[in-house]
């Protein structure tokens, strides 16, 4: 640590999640969390109607309002500093992370298009959240063309580009609202847009550019490829996407006077280059070495790990040189729905008597169902589920897929379905771990992070399904701590992310150990999961895709204004 002053120094990490943003004040010396605060987005996720007009949105859309992100700077950051009880002048840097791929269409000065006169009623003018899956048709075309042309970048993404990513979403804007596409000067990751608001400088972070923007070996897909998708898309890279790349852990700029007024922090302190919430968590878990997989478990789960080997791993979200830490290849995989699936079930399928029982005992519905589910043996419910309510991110990379539940009877109870859903997400993770191993990138340590680690029963299911120990991140604010670690490096307190991670991050080693009997039982269930996974996900039966298309055609689609 290069800070020589005897007075403690602090950094602020700001984590932008799906529903809220969190700010945490961290002591630079040892990673101690001094105070935190949360700001819930006023507009939440717009996935059924557009808030400005109440007009219905098509299926598979998910939008947000960028002004909600500024509210986090105005509200959560000052509240966190106050909760920490530290002097603002002792704060030496700021770091941020964001969900990805979350895209903001903006003008040349960074103004979101939805804030321009006459555009508030245009859905494509808003932020496309990571779980906006309405660009699957565009993603399918990108994948077919890339495979036909044998594009060298395609294997780096496991052979498939996701509908969640930058190119598919941008192509959807062009094809569904070409006039608005013409008004867009920059197609910006939210991770970079918020740093732009903090510093006044637009710097594209290397992590998002590599994993979500198809930037490999210094180049994006070329004009001829883009023109073959759509002639109007030929100039997308140089006209709307390409920009200066900032290395992770470096400073994108310094806190502007305007942002200092929003946050109450000192103007002029370094602001780290933006990052993705999952990738920034790895250093917070002390996972800066090969073989350590970190699963950031929340509404979705992102699996990240580093390796000294460059391999083609089927169905991965990407492999990027230095994508997590410098000097190693960073691999990313993920599941599009995890906590979202549990929340969906408890919101819509739990009878009133169980809701009342939970309230009477001072429990959440999740806690009550978890307690009931934990009392039964593996397989006692007679159920098996596929965890695809939000599609499949890895290893199938197909958001036209949907959820499935097999084995229902008239005697099936809500807690049994709930357990089957918990298990399905663990089976999905095992699929990812086994795919890594088969490609020559073995997972030697599995580390869990994120909000779902609070559910001890769920963590034990994962240990039993994976049949390997699970370590748990020490911090309850993994992404925010990871952002703070990058802020400390950007401020010069540490020479690199590895050194900062060693001092400020950490895990509880082997917090959960597999039970041999349960692991054996789960292996039998997992074999059945694989059979369903491959039948519905690899072309044995395309009924899920056909049902999605029928749903779209049956729903009224809002007219796009010219």
């Amino acid at each position: 640590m290069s800070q020589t002053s005897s007075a403690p120094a602090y950094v602020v990490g700001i984590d932008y999640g799906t529903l809220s943003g969190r700010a945490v004040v961290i002591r630079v010396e040892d990673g101690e969390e001094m105070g935190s605060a949360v700001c819930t987005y006023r507009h939440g996720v717009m996935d059924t109607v557009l808030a400005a007009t109440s007009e219905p949105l098509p299926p598979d859309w998910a939008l947000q309002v960028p002004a909600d992100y500024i509210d986090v700077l105005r509200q959560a950051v000052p509240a966190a500093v106050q909760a920490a009880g530290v002097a603002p002048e002792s704060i030496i840097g700021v770091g941020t992370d964001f969900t990805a791929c979350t895209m903001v269409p903006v003008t040349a000065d960074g103004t979101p298009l939805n804030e321009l006169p006459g555009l508030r009623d245009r859905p494509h003018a808003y932020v496309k959240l990571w779980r906006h899956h309405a660009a699957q048709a565009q993603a399918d075309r990108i994948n077919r063309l890339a495979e036909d042309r044998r594009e060298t970048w395609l294997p780096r993404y496991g052979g498939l580009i996701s509908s969640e990513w930058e190119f598919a979403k941008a192509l959807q804007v062009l094809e569904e609202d070409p006039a608005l596409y013409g008004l867009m000067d920059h197609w910006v990751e939210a991770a970079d847009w918020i740093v732009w608001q903090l510093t006044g400088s637009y710097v594209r972070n290397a992590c998002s550019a590599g994993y979500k923007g198809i930037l490999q070996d210094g180049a994006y897909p070329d004009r001829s490829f883009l023109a073959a998708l759509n002639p109007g898309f030929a100039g997308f890279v140089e006209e709307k996407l390409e920009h200066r790349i900032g290395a992770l852990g470096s400073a994108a700029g310094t806190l502007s006077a305007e942002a200092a007024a929003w946050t109450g922090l000192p103007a002029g302190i370094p602001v780290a280059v933006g990052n993705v919430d999952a990738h920034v968590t790895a250093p917070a878990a002390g996972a800066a070495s090969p073989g350590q997989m970190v699963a950031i478990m929340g509404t979705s789960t992102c699996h990240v790990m580093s390796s000294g080997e460059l391999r083609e791993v089927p169905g991965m979200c990407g492999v990027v040189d230095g994508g997590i830490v410098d000097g190693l290849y960073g691999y990313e995989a993920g599941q599009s729905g995890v906590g979202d699936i549990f929340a969906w079930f408890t919101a819509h399928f739990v009878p009133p008597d169980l809701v009342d029982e939970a309230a009477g005992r001072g429990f959440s519905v999740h806690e009550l169902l978890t307690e009931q589910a934990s009392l039964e043996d593996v397989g006692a419910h007679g159920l098996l589920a596929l965890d695809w309510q939000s599609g499949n991110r890895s290893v199938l990379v197909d958001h036209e897929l949907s959820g499935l539940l097999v084995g229902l009877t008239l005697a099936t109870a809500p807690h049994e379905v709930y357990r089957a859903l918990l298990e399905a997400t663990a089976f999905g993770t095992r699929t990812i771990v086994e795919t890594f191993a088969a490609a020559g990138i073995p997972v030697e340590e599995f580390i869990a992070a994120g909000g779902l680690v609070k559910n001890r029963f769920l963590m034990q299911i994962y240990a039993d399904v994976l049949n390997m120990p699970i370590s748990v991140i020490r911090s309850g604010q993994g992404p925010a701590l990871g952002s703070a670690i990058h802020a400390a490096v950007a401020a010069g307190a540490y020479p690199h992310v590895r050194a900062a991670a060693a001092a400020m991050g950490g895990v509880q080693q082997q917090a959960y150990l597999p039970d041999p009997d349960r692991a054996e039982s789960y292996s039998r269930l997992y074999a059945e999961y694989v059979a369903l996974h491959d039948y519905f996900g690899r072309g044995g039966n395309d009924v899920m895709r056909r049902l999605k298309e029928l749903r779209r055609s049956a729903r009224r689609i809002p007219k796009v204004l010219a």
Side-chain angles (χ1 to χ4, degrees):
M1 181 174 169
S2 63
Q3 291 288 316
T4 57
S5 171
S6 59
Y10 305 92
V11 285
V12 173
I14 309 171
D15 168 39
Y16 282 91
T18 299
L19 299 174
S20 63
R22 179 183 300 273
V24 180
V25 179
I26 302 292
R27 189 164 60 203
V28 171
E29 179 182 7
D30 55 6
E32 181 71 19
E33 298 168 16
M34 310 303 297
S36 66
V38 177
C39 174
T40 300
Y41 304 147
R42 283 179 294 154
H43 299 90
V45 178
M46 297 183 292
D47 53 8
T48 55
V49 299
L50 191 66
T53 63
S54 298
E55 285 294 312
L57 292 168
D60 303 319
W61 279 58
L63 307 178
Q64 289 194 315
V65 177
D68 291 353
Y69 307 148
I70 301 299
D71 288 344
V72 175
L73 303 180
R74 295 178 183 272
Q75 298 174 27
V77 175
V81 175
Q82 183 177 15
V86 304
E89 55 267 24
S90 67
I91 295 172
I92 63 171
V94 178
T96 62
D97 65 84
F98 230 104
T99 63
C101 171
T102 296
M103 301 305 300
V104 192
V106 303
T107 61
D109 66 358
T111 302
L113 295 190
N114 71 287
E115 297 179 6
L116 297 182
L119 297 185
R120 63 191 294 270
D121 59 350
R122 304 273 277 270
H124 284 295
Y126 289 82
V127 173
K128 282 184 170 56
L129 184 61
W130 65 268
R131 65 178 175 88
H132 176 93
H133 294 145
Q136 185 63 50
Q138 285 77 15
D140 289 343
R141 285 163 47 208
I142 291 170
N143 290 325
R144 285 194 299 268
L145 181 64
E147 185 174 3
D148 290 345
R149 291 168 52 114
R150 299 176 184 258
E151 295 288 343
T152 57
W153 44 262
L154 189 62
R156 297 281 183 96
Y157 299 96
L160 292 165
I161 298 301
S162 172
S163 67
E164 295 183 1
W165 298 353
E166 296 177 10
F167 280 72
K169 285 175 172 172
L171 185 56
Q172 184 196 11
V173 177
L174 169 65
E175 296 181 337
E176 296 183 6
D177 195 343
L180 188 135
Y181 178 87
L183 294 174
M184 179 175 73
D185 291 307
H186 297 294
W187 185 234
V188 183
E189 282 278 356
D192 301 326
W193 184 80
I194 201 64
V195 171
W196 192 351
Q197 307 315 297
L198 286 167
T199 64
S201 300
Y202 176 24
V203 178
R204 189 155 155 72
N205 78 84
C207 182
S208 296
Y211 289 103
K212 315 302 179 183
I214 323 183
L215 178 63
Q216 291 288 346
D217 301 323
Y220 295 95
D222 61 31
R223 285 185 65 94
S224 66
F225 176 83
L226 301 178
L229 289 170
N230 185 310
F233 205 50
F236 168 66
V237 167
E238 59 261 38
E239 294 169 7
K240 302 184 186 295
L241 184 69
E242 195 171 34
H243 210 76
R244 177 168 68 92
I245 301 293
L248 304 183
S250 66
T254 58
L255 194 68
S256 69
E258 181 181 32
W262 292 340
T263 60
L265 301 178
I269 61 174
V271 177
V273 166
N275 210 327
V276 178
D277 52 359
H279 303 73
V280 80
T281 303
S289 299
Q292 295 176 295
M293 174 175 280
V294 181
I296 300 85
M297 303 173 62
T299 54
S300 64
T301 292
C302 192
H303 307 76
V304 297
M305 66 181 293
S306 295
S307 174
E309 301 289 330
L310 176 60
R311 298 290 178 90
E312 296 176 5
V313 184
M316 292 301 100
C317 298
V319 52
V320 176
D321 188 3
I324 300 172
V325 294
D326 286 339
L328 294 173
Y329 292 101
Y331 290 80
E332 177 192 346
Q335 293 165 268
S336 294
V338 181
D340 268 353
I341 296 175
F342 312 149
W344 159 80
F345 179 77
T346 58
H348 298 290
F349 301 104
V350 177
D353 61 309
L354 286 181
V355 176
D356 292 342
E357 179 182 347
R361 295 179 60 186
F363 282 9
S364 70
V365 175
H366 290 281
E367 289 170 326
L368 178 62
L369 294 178
T370 296
E371 178 188 80
Q372 294 174 341
S374 68
L375 300 177
E376 298 184 355
D377 292 333
V378 177
H381 50 43
L383 301 172
L384 185 62
L386 291 177
D387 51 317
W388 298 344
Q389 281 81 349
S390 289
N392 182 285
R393 184 183 296 162
S394 300
V395 297
L396 300 172
V397 197
D398 189 348
H399 292 289
E400 291 291 274
L401 298 175
S402 51
L404 180 73
L405 184 63
V406 176
L408 287 170
T409 73
L410 294 178
T412 300
H415 72 271
E416 294 176 319
V417 177
Y418 187 75
R419 176 166 178 159
L421 296 174
L422 299 182
E423 292 167 343
T425 67
F427 293 147
T429 287
R430 179 167 169 175
T431 303
I432 291 167
V433 170
E434 291 188 352
T435 302
F436 267 103
I441 308 292
V443 177
E444 298 169 0
E445 181 182 10
F446 190 92
I447 303 169
L452 292 182
V453 300
K454 298 174 185 176
N455 187 326
R456 296 183 60 82
F457 178 60
L458 177 66
M459 290 297 97
Q460 187 60 53
I461 287 175
Y462 272 65
D464 293 336
V465 167
L466 294 173
N467 197 20
M468 64 187 302
I470 293 181
S471 301
V472 176
I473 191 172
R474 185 180 67 192
S475 170
Q477 318 286 354
L481 173 58
S483 289
I485 286 172
H486 283 73
V489 176
Y494 292 94
H496 46 68
V497 171
R498 282 194 185 87
M504 299 172 69
V507 296
Q508 179 186 353
Q509 296 285 345
Q510 300 192 358
Y512 297 92
L513 300 175
D515 175 89
D517 292 336
R518 289 195 299 266
E520 182 179 353
S521 296
Y522 272 130
S523 286
R524 292 197 295 271
L525 266 180
Y526 177 67
E528 301 296 342
Y529 173 91
V530 171
L532 291 177
H533 174 281
D534 291 350
Y535 180 66
F536 288 102
R538 299 190 188 275
N541 190 323
D542 286 333
V543 62
M544 293 178 177
R545 279 179 164 269
R546 294 193 296 271
L547 290 173
K548 281 259 184 128
E549 182 55 38
L550 180 62
R551 178 173 182 255
R552 279 191 288 266
S553 64
R555 297 252 321 241
R556 182 170 69 89
I557 307 299
K559 294 180 179 179
V560 176
L561 299 179

